[in-house]
Amino acid sequence: MNSNSVSTLAQGITIERWTRSSRMAVVISIIVLVALALAPSVLGAGSIDRMTALFIYIIMAAMWNALAGFGGLVSVGQQVFSGLGAYFTVRIADRGIDPFVAILIAGLVVAVVSYPLSLVMLRLKGGEFAIGMWVVSALTHLCVNLDGLIQGETGTSLISLNAYDSGMRRTIIYWLALVAMAAILSSLFVLLRSRTGAAIQAIRDNEDAALSLGADVVGTKRLLFVLAAAGIGIAGALWLASATSFQPKTYFSVQWTAYMIFMVLVGGIGTFEGAILGAIIFFAIETWFGALGVWYLIGLGLIALLFALFLPKGLWGEIERRFGLSLMPVGYRLKLPSELKVKE
């Protein structure tokens, strides 16, 4: 398939790569990112912190959706990477490295660590993989507790952040989160639109068929596994920078993966836009009802259950089904000539 946005086939049938709405969506996205970059000059401290949290949620949702929605690798243990991202940030910063540089290095270290882990975990299938990742997270949590610097569940703080003025620190974290979100989403979008992206989705749909067509099943899965690990690791490191304190039981909690699953399930699993929409919805619910404590968590569970029963493809999946709208297309769309369309 060539790189043109529209390829003409026999009898006037065409394959669309881009649509007018998707081109507009890209332009609007760029404008929004520029506006967000300038936002700290007009936002208060509380709003900056909340927007930083939103960017982190979007990263987490996009990475879990990439792994499960596009790759078919459902995991309930992705909190291992958010925990490691925060842990490595503390460890690297303790060596005297600037904490913001430590965040970036931590993301790379998580990616490196995830590679040998993938050699083992990708041998597992379905539920075995999902539960296996949870077991890995629990074991990693116990190992981190043994580090004298962490002091068990007492935890520690990213004290090197105190070298920065609180206002400047908050703004830098905001910009880092924004840049990380934009870079990760852009990289994921480019990947999914490439030949490798087509292979990823083919493997999800039918691994044996993809293998028979020459797809590198193991290598493609490993690439996706490492990418998701690195993204979630950076998200965990950014959350640490925002919160400053590190307690292993918080960062290695399965609650993080539960949040990722909720965002993707509500927004639309297997759709690029769905993860972003789900993160925004989750962010709004948390902002308005997070203070309700246990009732807030019960509400999240009920909402997830209702979506699983009545809108299994999520909000964006339903929008695509009803209106055929795709703002960030990662595949191709077959367009029939008007004379071949069935009139209702």
Side-chain angles (χ1 to χ4, degrees), residues 92-296:
I92 294 169
D94 186 61
R95 297 286 183 177
I97 296 176
D98 184 274
F100 297 118
V101 175
I103 290 173
L104 302 178
I105 297 176
L108 294 176
V109 174
V110 171
V112 171
V113 170
S114 70
Y115 182 84
L117 179 61
S118 71
L119 299 178
V120 177
M121 299 310 299
L122 291 179
R123 294 176 179 271
L124 305 178
K125 306 290 184 180
E128 293 179 348
F129 174 80
I131 300 302
M133 287 301 300
W134 178 83
V135 172
V136 168
S137 177
L139 291 175
T140 305
H141 177 190
L142 294 176
C143 291
V144 168
N145 277 351
L146 298 177
D147 188 336
L149 176 65
I150 305 303
Q151 305 176 70
E153 293 298 353
T154 301
T156 186
S157 297
L158 193 60
I159 55 177
S160 55
L161 281 174
N162 293 331
Y164 291 85
D165 170 75
S166 61
M168 179 59 70
R169 180 175 69 221
R170 181 177 286 108
T171 301
I172 293 175
I173 296 170
Y174 172 94
W175 281 333
L176 276 178
L178 177 62
V179 170
M181 178 190 71
I184 289 171
L185 290 179
S186 299
S187 299
L188 179 61
F189 183 67
V190 171
L191 174 65
L192 292 175
R193 285 174 61 88
S194 67
R195 288 180 177 272
T196 302
I200 288 171
Q201 296 173 72
I203 293 168
R204 173 199 61 191
D205 295 337
N206 192 315
E207 186 172 317
D208 293 333
L211 183 62
S212 67
L213 292 174
D216 181 4
V217 173
V218 176
T220 302
K221 283 185 174 182
R222 185 166 295 127
L223 171 63
L224 198 59
F225 185 91
V226 172
L227 174 64
I232 294 174
I234 290 175
L238 288 167
W239 192 274
L240 169 66
S242 182
T244 68
S245 62
F246 175 73
Q247 292 179 305
K249 65 181 178 182
T250 298
Y251 287 84
F252 287 95
S253 170
V254 72
Q255 177 175 293
W256 287 108
T257 297
Y259 287 164
M260 296 180 215
I261 295 173
F262 176 87
M263 290 185 280
V264 174
L265 183 63
V266 170
I269 189 169
T271 63
F272 190 87
E273 303 91 339
I276 300 172
L277 177 60
I280 293 173
I281 292 172
F282 173 75
F283 172 78
I285 293 174
E286 182 187 62
T287 300
W288 294 331
F289 304 108
L292 296 179
V294 66
W295 289 108
Y296 158 70

Side-chain angles (χ1 to χ4, degrees), residues 56-66 260 263-264 275-276 278-279:
I56 294 172
Y57 289 152
I58 290 176
I59 293 172
M60 287 185 164
M63 291 295 91
W64 195 89
N65 188 43
M260 296 180 215
M263 290 185 280
V264 174
I276 300 172

